[in-house]
Amino acid sequence: MKDTVKNEKLNKWIREVADLCTPDDVYICNGSKDEYRLMIDKLIKSGIAIPLTKRPNSFLFRSDPSDVARVEDNTYISTSSREEAGPTNNWIAPGDLKKTMMDLYKGCMRGRTMYVIPFSMGPIGSPISKIGIEISDSPYVVVNMHIMTRVSSRVLELLGTDGDFIPCLHSVGAPLAPGQKDTKWPCAPIEKKYISHFPEENLIWSYGSGYGGNALLGKKCLALRIASAMARREGWMAEHMLILRLTNPEGKQYHIAAAFPSACGKTNLAMMQPSIAGWKCECIGDDIAWMKVGADGRLYAINPENGFFGVAPGTSYSTNPMAMDTLKENVIFTNCALTDDGDVWWEGKDGDEPAHAIDWKGKDWTPESPTDAAHANARFTAPASQCPVICKDWEKPEGVPIDIFIFGGRRTGVVPLVYEAFDWEHGVFLGATAASETTAANIGAVGNLRRDPFAMKPFCGYNMGDYFKHWFDMGDKLGSKAPRVFYVNWFRKSQDGKFLWPGFSDNSRVLKWMCERVDGRVGAHKTPIGLLPNEGDLDLSGLHLSADSMKELMSIDLTAWKAEIPDIEKHFSTFGKRMPERLKKQFQRFIDALGKHV
Ligand code: SAT
Ligand code: MN
């Protein structure tokens, strides 16, 4: 260990954690292909990883049925005061939380290997990138981190003797007594799961879950919760946004960053292939954007991740062909079904349902089975570099200049297909009031409406009221160079429950309108909620959409919008004194505008 780790802080931390968690072994990861293979071989031998004959170097994992998604109720922002964490976060005082977790961590890695994973969020050495070190007792975490982040011994070199890093401690919370046989997916019961963040000291402690964002700590924990707090302190932005590049037929490029809650089609939009002639779309990222103001005063974005951790169900050649092509090899699948010919399957995949499969719980499944074959939050972990439409500039250290921000969510009614904010301040209001019907990405009831400001509700590492203020501050800094702000809803349904908008590649029509707005090529008409496309300006050529459907998609039911007011009021009132005056003003403007239209 001494030979590879020269960083003093890291050495000390590794020793402390090893003393506390008492693993059988300590292994320092180097991120090599050989290392990946070694881990996978171990996982295959113990029956945890199932090789897929149909996909080279790809494996299926099945989690414990109690450990299938992020656990928001067990996720904590532990700042010195409750007020600092704010009303959207669970809070326990740092001293108390650390005491509880220290007791849990005591001896928690017995019978296991402790892996030290040096990783970079963002290209190694980029001025926007951050270095994290995850210590984990899960080899599943190691292989996933290999794909999702840049794990490399170069990170340790970059750290040198005194470089700083973000410590991310993770344990599945299932120590083994001597001779005790391991389970396939070790984890702790829900009451012992803790996903804890200490933003004041850039520290992450996770215990008891092996799944997704609970365990792959570079993603939601570091790149969003800790990074958002750092970004506020340092004057930049860490957002739950996909990044894409759109190129028009004349070759002009537009960069779009869009925020939607988990499992609302971010990955689909990020890899979308336009249905309109001559337009090109390339993917830069599908989940997280880190953005800084560049020397020219514009906002530049990088994708801090290295892979996609996407929702499998619903992904197909018709919904997201580029994702399907990304998944041909070198992929980790979790909680998908296994077909008899050694491939994965999930609900919504192309082709017929298999006549027989093994479901995500490892049981026999046929189309007659009453349950789904794949879990609704089943995931794929795939290298971003394998995406056929990954932008050649996706690893550009300085990032790409953002022209357009999009907010949105899943709304069966009320919200039209697209509208534009009057200005930045109104854009902040749109972000702050964003709402969506819940999905399977988080534990809890599916289909309830929840306000999810900027799609950051589960991911903001400090008081959301201050976060709103940070958005206003960023607008002040960017001035006329600020991106334009739009709101979309691909999910509106007709009275008889059918989706009104085809979505997917036809969403390019909406993006095209946004680009034309940016260029001043098309007008828009003012409504109480924002600027809507003028009739004929949305390119609907070749689309068989009835005039009635289009009308319904774009309709604004003032009574329904007025009915939103009490809910927004309730939502805003939770922020108390931290609620920025400018946002209150926007809300008042919204109420007044609706009032005028009685
Ligand atoms: O499980 S994750 O938190 O990484 C994915 C998501 O919910 O978006
Ligand atoms: Mn996400």
Side-chain angles (χ1 to χ4, degrees), residues 70 212-213 219-220 262 309 379 441:
R70 277 184 292 103
K219 194 175 177 63
K220 306 299 187 179
S262 299
F309 186 66
R379 298 273 174 160

Side-chain angles (χ1 to χ4, degrees), residues 61-289:
F61 291 81
R62 293 188 194 113
S63 80
D64 189 89
S66 70
D67 199 28
V68 292
R70 277 184 292 103
V71 282
E72 290 179 12
D73 290 347
N74 304 52
T75 300
Y76 298 91
I77 299 297
S78 182
T79 38
S80 32
S81 75
R82 182 190 290 273
E83 175 82 7
E84 198 47 41
T88 56
N89 287 309
N90 299 309
W91 179 86
I92 297 177
D96 296 345
L97 184 54
K98 280 190 178 166
K99 189 180 172 310
T100 305
M101 291 191 73
M102 285 287 265
D103 285 346
L104 290 169
Y105 280 133
K106 220 167 273 167
C108 72
M109 294 187 186
R110 200 175 51 214
R112 302 188 185 280
T113 299
M114 174 177 129
Y115 300 98
V116 179
I117 314 166
F119 64 96
S120 175
M121 295 312 286
I124 297 174
S126 150
I128 311 186
S129 299
K130 301 268 179 228
I131 290 177
I133 308 284
E134 176 159 354
I135 289 185
S136 173
D137 54 5
S138 160
Y140 169 84
V141 164
V142 175
V143 288
N144 274 273
M145 286 293 284
H146 264 234
I147 298 176
M148 291 308 298
T149 73
R150 287 136 174 121
V151 177
S152 171
S153 41
R154 275 170 56 215
V155 170
L156 290 182
E157 284 163 28
L158 204 66
L159 268 187
T161 52
D162 57 356
D164 204 12
F165 61 91
I166 299 163
C168 312
L169 175 55
H170 171 253
S171 172
V172 293
L176 293 166
Q180 185 186 341
K181 197 175 169 304
D182 201 1
T183 55
K184 290 212 170 148
W185 186 276
C187 62
I190 187 77
E191 68 277 7
K192 285 193 181 159
K193 288 189 192 349
Y194 287 86
I195 319 297
S196 306
H197 309 73
F198 304 92
E200 288 155 356
E201 45 183 322
N202 291 345
L203 176 67
I204 301 163
W205 280 10
S206 164
Y207 185 91
S209 167
Y211 201 87
N214 300 332
L216 313 176
L217 303 185
K219 194 175 177 63
K220 306 299 187 179
C221 298
L222 193 161
L224 285 176
R225 298 194 190 97
I226 293 295
S228 63
M230 294 175 94
R232 173 204 177 198
R233 290 194 296 264
E234 298 165 6
W236 52 284
M237 302 171 98
E239 299 295 333
H240 190 204
M241 288 178 171
L242 67 89
I243 312 166
L244 64 82
R245 170 183 289 172
L246 206 59
T247 307
N248 77 6
E250 290 88 56
K252 181 169 177 193
Q253 294 175 350
Y254 306 83
H255 294 98
I256 300 182
F260 303 101
S262 299
C264 280
K266 280 217 307 295
T267 306
N268 292 346
L269 186 63
M271 299 177 192
M272 181 263 295
Q273 290 307 286
S275 58
I276 40 174
W279 288 71
K280 191 170 132 192
C281 184
E282 293 161 287
C283 175
I284 294 168
D286 81 330
D287 198 39
I288 301 174

Side-chain angles (χ1 to χ4, degrees), residues 49-63:
I50 303 165
L52 298 168
T53 43
K54 289 276 164 149
R55 291 170 205 254
N57 193 31
S58 299
F59 308 91
L60 171 67
F61 291 81
R62 293 188 194 113
S63 80

Side-chain angles (χ1 to χ4, degrees), residues 442-479:
N442 49 289
I443 297 254
V446 170
N448 295 335
L449 184 72
R450 82 165 178 180
R451 296 278 155 200
D452 188 350
F454 298 82
M456 282 290 277
K457 185 172 187 279
F459 307 121
C460 183
Y462 58 102
N463 191 306
M464 183 69 85
D466 294 338
Y467 169 87
F468 297 154
K469 178 166 181 304
H470 184 52
W471 266 81
F472 285 114
D473 291 345
M474 288 304 296
D476 292 342
K477 216 183 211 172
L478 289 160

Side-chain angles (χ1 to χ4, degrees), residues 265-486:
K266 280 217 307 295
T267 306
N268 292 346
L269 186 63
M271 299 177 192
M272 181 263 295
Q273 290 307 286
S275 58
I276 40 174
W279 288 71
K280 191 170 132 192
C281 184
E282 293 161 287
C283 175
I284 294 168
D286 81 330
D287 198 39
I288 301 174
W290 283 358
M291 294 172 282
K292 284 193 176 162
V293 182
D296 61 358
R298 298 182 71 191
L299 192 61
Y300 284 79
I302 68 159
N303 167 14
E305 300 193 278
N306 192 49
F308 306 119
F309 186 66
V311 180
T315 306
S316 70
Y317 274 97
S318 59
T319 62
N320 193 341
M322 294 303 119
M324 293 303 285
D325 282 344
T326 307
L327 303 182
K328 284 183 175 160
E329 53 185 352
N330 313 315
V331 184
I332 293 171
F333 294 94
T334 307
N335 288 343
C336 297
L338 177 68
T339 61
D340 294 347
D341 60 352
D343 198 5
V344 274
W345 191 80
W346 49 77
E347 277 67 25
K349 195 164 173 266
D350 308 83
D352 296 333
E353 296 179 312
H356 173 264
I358 305 294
D359 74 6
W360 69 277
K361 288 183 173 171
K363 303 251 161 53
D364 284 307
W365 181 94
T366 68
E368 283 72 50
S369 298
T371 48
D372 286 346
H375 186 275
N377 193 38
R379 298 273 174 160
F380 53 78
T381 318
S385 58
Q386 283 183 196
C387 179
V389 289
I390 196 78
C391 180
K392 69 173 187 343
D393 291 333
W394 84 282
E395 297 190 281
K396 219 176 171 180
E398 67 273 29
V400 295
I402 298 299
D403 302 283
I404 291 167
F405 274 143
I406 307 177
F407 301 120
R410 198 178 273 274
R411 293 296 301 264
T412 310
V414 188
V415 181
L417 178 63
V418 60
Y419 58 106
E420 185 183 352
F422 300 122
D423 50 30
W424 180 269
E425 311 245 321
H426 183 225
V428 177
F429 175 73
L430 298 188
T433 52
S436 188
E437 285 145 28
T438 48
T439 66
N442 49 289
I443 297 254
V446 170
N448 295 335
L449 184 72
R450 82 165 178 180
R451 296 278 155 200
D452 188 350
F454 298 82
M456 282 290 277
K457 185 172 187 279
F459 307 121
C460 183
Y462 58 102
N463 191 306
M464 183 69 85
D466 294 338
Y467 169 87
F468 297 154
K469 178 166 181 304
H470 184 52
W471 266 81
F472 285 114
D473 291 345
M474 288 304 296
D476 292 342
K477 216 183 211 172
L478 289 160
S480 63
K481 294 188 173 148
R484 296 271 280 267
V485 183
F486 297 83

